[in-house]
Amino acid sequence: MELKQYWNIILKKLWLIAILVVAATVGTGIYSYYFVNPQYEASTKLIVNQTSNPSDILSKIDLSTINSNIQLVKSYKEIIKTNRIMDAVASQYPGLGMSAGELIDKVSVSSVNDTLVMSVTARDPSYKQAAEVVNAVSLVFQQEIPNLMSVDNVSILNEADPTKTPAPVSPNPLMNIAVSFALSLLLGLGLALLLEYLDDTVKTEEDVATLLGIPTLSVIPKIKESDLVVDKRQAVESVRRESNVTFES
């Protein structure tokens, strides 16, 4: 099938493609703006070093210590999201109203490019709640890690500020609408081509030539009922005129 034929198919099914695109984008926009609860994100940063006193960090840094602490960061990332830590958070901060399992689902921990810094992040429909959760988790983890690892090497670089009013991190309606537009456009194009492929009816002279392999000698046009009425009136008028001419002569 040539490119021109594809283009003709798209033009012929343009109404179908337009309906799909409009329906998908409008539906996505309505869902994103009115039916999805906004989610806010708060985070704290922790640093892992051989001392819990930030003023002593520079004086005690060496390459072997850094490498050792980088390996500790990987362990700490897993330890934070355990029932041992989250049970203590739920117990010490009952005002959060969350169980250990809910806290584990809400909190995520990450580090950037094997650094000594960990970021503890929480998402919640309330930014204040998210900030209180990450602050509580960070403080409890700092308190509990000496008992678990027999080391006191976690310091809190910064806590989340519950008084802030940041923009929600999700949903992103504009991004959702853009993705919906692109996907629905591709779906519409694919559906148009599929319908054309499945349609094996003969409609044009080109279809006849392709199907039978012989040229078309003549074409019988499709006649509408309204055309027959007009032709009948014209025939009656013609007969009347001829009759009038014969009678006058």
Side-chain angles (χ1 to χ4, degrees), residues 162-204:
T163 62
K164 287 185 177 180
T165 55
V169 294
S170 69
N172 188 339
L174 295 180
M175 177 62 71
N176 292 345
I177 290 173
V179 172
S180 177
F181 174 83
L183 293 179
S184 60
L185 181 60
L186 292 176
L187 177 62
L189 293 173
L191 183 59
L193 295 175
L194 177 62
L195 291 176
E196 184 67 21
Y197 176 77
L198 296 177
D199 185 4
D200 56 359
T201 57
V202 178
K203 297 184 179 67
T204 64

Side-chain angles (χ1 to χ4, degrees), residues 45-49 51-54 57 142 153-157:
K45 291 189 182 300
L46 309 176
I47 186 169
V48 177
N49 203 45
T51 174
S52 61
N53 186 357
I57 290 177
Q142 185 185 28
N153 62 346
V154 176
S155 301
I156 298 177
L157 291 178

